Amino acid sequence: MSDSKELTIAQKAIGDFAPKLVELTDEVLFGDVWKRSELSPRDRSLITVASLISGGNTQQLKNHLNLAIQNGLTEKELIEAMTHLAFYAGWPKAMSAIMIGKEVFASEK
């Protein structure tokens, strides 16, 4: 797992249950793929948020919305992306995402 003393999100969530998945998440996904220079972290966040919404995988959306904000996306841009996705991914998926976004953005203020 990570050498840092502070636990990662994955370590906190499932570290004691699925340590190999945590290792792959921390070292491969976030330690390698997310650090590749071909796309900016901002672009990767927008793609990830759109993918999670499109697939109806909202369980990880809260963490990725927070990461998207850290990576430079604004609340306005993320809401616009969710609105746009209503027409391509489906209204219920966008509405579910908006409810999570509302919660995340309220805690940011």
Side-chain angles (χ1 to χ4, degrees):
M1 289 194 227
S2 176
D3 291 334
S4 73
K5 293 180 183 180
E6 187 174 331
L7 295 178
T8 65
I9 292 172
Q11 289 169 339
K12 289 176 190 174
I14 59 167
D16 57 340
F17 185 71
K20 184 61 179 181
L21 185 56
V22 170
E23 178 186 335
L24 292 168
T25 300
D26 291 344
E27 294 179 14
V28 178
L29 179 58
F30 288 104
D32 180 25
V33 174
W34 271 80
K35 297 202 183 307
R36 293 171 53 87
S37 62
E38 290 79 6
L39 290 172
S40 70
R42 182 186 187 283
D43 291 345
R44 289 185 191 280
S45 281
L46 186 57
I47 292 165
T48 301
V49 166
S51 295
L52 290 172
I53 294 168
S54 295
N57 301 310
T58 55
Q59 188 167 0
Q60 294 186 24
L61 189 56
K62 182 177 179 180
N63 288 334
H64 278 285
L65 287 173
N66 283 315
L67 182 58
I69 292 166
Q70 289 174 19
N71 286 336
L73 285 155
T74 67
E75 175 182 329
K76 202 173 206 178
E77 290 170 323
L78 289 164
I79 291 169
E80 185 63 25
M82 292 177 204
T83 302
H84 190 77
L85 284 167
F87 294 91
Y88 290 93
W91 213 267
K93 290 176 182 176
M95 291 298 287
S96 295
I98 282 290
M99 297 307 294
I100 293 168
K102 183 178 178 183
E103 177 187 324
V104 169
F105 304 141
S107 69
E108 287 289 313
K109 295 177 181 174

